[in-house]
Amino acid sequence: MLFRSLHSSKLQYLSLRCFSSATFPHVLKPGDVLKKSRVFTEEDVLEYSKVSHDSNPLHTDSAAARNVGFEGPLVHGMLVASLFPHIISAHFPAAVYVSQTLNFKLPVYIGDQIVGEVQANSLREDKNRYLAKFKTRCFKNGEILVIEGEALALLPTLDYRAAEV
């Protein structure tokens, strides 16, 4: 029912940003990488704590975080990982996120510059849609791996537009 509702609703496309003189749309192929950069704020962490009901003081209390060996409050790992479905849906409106595996490697702190990326590994046609397997990774300060995993998504098409994400 939810899928039918989402599928039939009118979706607004995001504004386009041209990266080169290449013709749009692009066609997704194995090896393509889509990215999103983000700095998570204290407000982001507090709002996520509220909506997720995750009241672990490691996310909101500097003293509690330092007492167990962290530099300060941690950004929720699932909040950081939310970059992955955001990247996919920004480029492929009406995509259906099927699954995600995650390995949390290092902590992310409020104010860290995070770059999330999804890399197409395999694509398979499935009933007029495409099952796409993505390698998913987040980097702190552009080089330090903090999260890695894999995602599966059903894409309505392999054509995508360069979305400002």
Side-chain angles (χ1 to χ4, degrees):
M1 191 81 142
L2 175 62
F3 176 74
R4 184 175 298 147
S5 172
L6 289 173
H7 183 66
S8 64
S9 68
K10 301 226 187 289
L11 297 171
Q12 292 187 352
Y13 290 89
L14 300 174
S15 62
L16 302 180
R17 178 174 64 182
C18 294
F19 297 103
S20 70
S21 59
T23 306
F24 291 101
H26 298 289
V27 176
L28 185 68
K29 57 190 175 308
D32 285 352
V33 175
L34 306 170
K35 296 181 180 188
K36 163 81 176 147
S37 179
R38 172 98 192 256
V39 174
F40 292 96
T41 66
E42 183 175 351
E43 183 179 353
D44 294 328
V45 170
L46 291 173
E47 290 298 316
Y48 187 83
S49 292
K50 288 178 190 173
V51 74
S52 68
H53 301 280
D54 182 346
S55 58
N56 187 331
L58 294 179
H59 302 295
T60 57
D61 183 338
S62 294
R66 285 190 177 96
N67 282 342
V68 294
F70 293 109
E71 296 171 16
L74 305 173
V75 177
H76 298 79
M78 295 304 288
L79 177 57
V80 178
S82 72
L83 286 171
F84 305 135
H86 173 77
I87 294 167
I88 292 169
S89 66
H91 291 282
F92 301 96
V96 177
Y97 216 68
V98 176
S99 68
Q100 173 75 61
T101 63
L102 297 169
N103 293 305
F104 300 100
K105 301 293 192 178
L106 291 171
V108 172
Y109 299 101
I110 293 168
D112 284 345
Q113 176 74 36
I114 301 299
V115 175
E117 68 177 39
V118 299
Q119 179 178 17
N121 281 351
S122 65
L123 306 165
R124 180 172 53 90
E125 190 168 3
D126 182 39
K127 299 179 185 174
N128 298 324
R129 296 180 294 182
Y130 297 88
L131 185 61
K133 187 176 193 178
F134 294 95
K135 179 178 185 178
T136 57
R137 299 185 299 182
C138 282
F139 296 93
K140 185 187 324 191
N141 303 321
E143 60 190 42
I144 302 166
L145 181 67
V146 294
I147 299 176
E148 67 179 348
E150 285 187 343
L152 275 176
L154 278 174
L155 308 179
T157 178
L158 292 180
D159 294 339
Y160 71 94
R161 299 192 178 274
E164 191 155 333
V165 292

